[in-house]
Amino acid sequence: MEARIATAPSTETGTSHGRPGSPGTDLDRLRSGVEEAVSRGGGANVPLDEANGLVWLIPGEPELLGAALEAHPRIEWVQFPWAGVEKFTTSGVLDRPVVFSCAKGAFAGQVAEHALMLMLACLRGLSRQARTPAWSPVDPRSLHGRRVTILGGGGIATELVRLLRPFECRIRVIRRSPEKVEGSDETLPPPALPAVLPETDLLVLALALTPETRHVVGAAELALLPPHAVVVNVARGAHIETGALVEALDAGTISAAGLDVTDPEPLPDGHPLWADPRVLITSHSADSADYVRRMFCERVERNVANLRAGRPLEGVIDPSAGY
């Protein structure tokens, strides 16, 4: 199959690429990298009117994508640069007879590494020590042999399980799919979560945000964790009910939290989570821009080659599942 690929934003979508007169912006570099990836994959970079595939780089405007697809019915495939596509799944735009793929799994390496860092930092009280301007030893806790529960069984979870091998943790993965995550001790369905939480030392959230997973961790779930438990979120802020998390920390229901994402995001100045020395917040910085650009362009290159060869695409979205 021919791969004639357009990349948006462009003047054809009614949105300029980057700031006028600023060719060095991140979006310009990403667009340039995508076009090179299309060529490496054996495709042709073409205007939107000639395309049968579209790489969509415009965040948060599903209605604009819907209008572009309505005006260009020859487009059969749309590639997103993000792993999370909740704004598009809830808009209805993915209900069109088009194959949509996203970057799920593409950035798993750095995000899993970040999750491991947050786990170790919370266990060893690094946030408290960094905020204390005096000699103040904190008794550390080891990750070795800990009971880890991971919500989500995608690329981040798979990579995190691999990174945890030297620590000989007991790892349970909670996921919708029944397939076992390699290296985990158990892979369980979502209804098993309440039974698992009392036996969890570290709870890691690494799953897609859907209506079913919004506030998957609230007051009831936090209350089931042992008081020494650590909660780490590298997925989406809305997976955790923020007010319940603040209350759990205040009450000593859990011992610490490592958050790369928050709800709301960005977390407002003066929010109580900023002042809590048991909380480490990293402002949605689990992966670097250069890494994301490189890994996404490699995904585009492979998918263009897959499209031409008639092979399955990587990261195909299931609209009914929401990711």
Side-chain angles (χ1 to χ4, degrees):
M1 177 179 177
E2 284 187 283
R4 304 182 307 281
I5 311 300
T7 303
S10 68
T11 54
E12 297 164 282
T13 54
T15 305
S16 63
H17 66 284
R19 297 187 299 273
S22 181
T25 62
D26 285 343
L27 186 54
D28 285 317
R29 287 196 293 271
L30 178 57
R31 180 185 172 90
S32 176
V34 165
E35 291 175 345
E36 292 173 4
V38 168
S39 297
R40 289 196 304 270
N45 290 286
V46 299
L48 198 52
D49 287 339
E50 302 173 17
N52 65 345
L54 174 61
V55 181
W56 187 258
L57 306 180
I58 304 173
E61 296 190 51
E63 66 286 349
L64 194 58
L65 174 59
L69 294 176
E70 186 72 27
H72 302 89
R74 290 193 298 178
I75 292 175
E76 302 174 5
W77 166 55
V78 175
Q79 172 74 57
F80 294 116
W82 319 283
V85 291
E86 57 272 10
K87 291 183 179 179
F88 290 84
T89 56
T90 57
S91 72
V93 70
L94 303 190
D95 296 333
R96 295 174 175 273
V98 173
V99 175
F100 294 90
S101 58
C102 67
K104 56 185 175 182
F107 315 132
Q110 278 198 357
V111 179
E113 183 180 313
H114 199 83
L116 177 60
M117 179 275 296
L118 290 173
M119 295 165 75
L120 289 166
C122 287
L123 285 172
R124 292 182 170 269
L126 293 191
S127 181
R128 181 186 296 276
Q129 290 209 348
R131 299 178 192 203
T132 305
W135 191 261
S136 180
V138 173
D139 200 30
R141 293 183 285 164
S142 174
L143 179 56
H144 192 273
R146 294 287 178 176
R147 301 167 298 178
V148 178
T149 298
I150 304 173
L151 299 188
I156 297 170
T158 300
E159 182 64 14
L160 181 58
V161 168
R162 187 187 69 80
L163 293 177
L164 288 172
R165 277 182 201 148
F167 297 95
E168 299 182 340
C169 296
R170 174 170 173 76
I171 303 171
R172 291 186 172 111
V173 174
I174 307 290
R175 67 181 305 189
R176 288 179 53 177
S177 173
E179 287 83 10
K180 187 176 187 294
V181 173
E182 184 179 356
S184 65
D185 294 282
E186 289 185 276
T187 300
L188 303 169
L193 181 60
V196 168
L197 289 175
E199 302 174 354
T200 297
D201 300 317
L202 295 107
L203 177 64
V204 181
L205 288 88
L207 69 169
L209 182 61
T210 68
E212 293 74 26
T213 64
R214 182 175 293 274
H215 290 174
V216 66
V217 174
E221 290 74 26
L222 292 166
L224 289 172
L225 289 165
H228 64 266
V230 170
V231 175
V232 169
N233 191 1
V234 292
R236 287 290 187 267
H239 287 310
I240 299 177
E241 189 178 346
T242 302
L245 179 63
V246 172
E247 291 174 5
L249 287 161
D250 287 345
T253 304
I254 61 172
S255 69
L259 308 173
D260 187 54
V261 290
T262 60
D263 183 28
E265 189 172 304
L267 195 65
D269 292 348
H271 193 281
L273 286 176
W274 286 120
D276 194 320
R278 298 162 297 175
V279 178
L280 179 57
I281 299 172
T282 55
S283 304
H284 210 147
S285 57
D287 40 26
S288 67
D290 286 344
Y291 174 79
V292 166
R293 185 165 48 247
R294 176 168 57 86
M295 300 308 290
F296 175 61
C297 288
E298 289 180 6
R299 170 68 59 88
V300 169
E301 179 182 348
R302 290 193 300 272
N303 269 348
V304 169
N306 290 338
L307 185 68
R308 294 180 62 241
R311 296 188 296 262
L313 302 178
E314 296 181 22
V316 172
I317 298 168
D318 178 357
S320 64
Y323 56 91

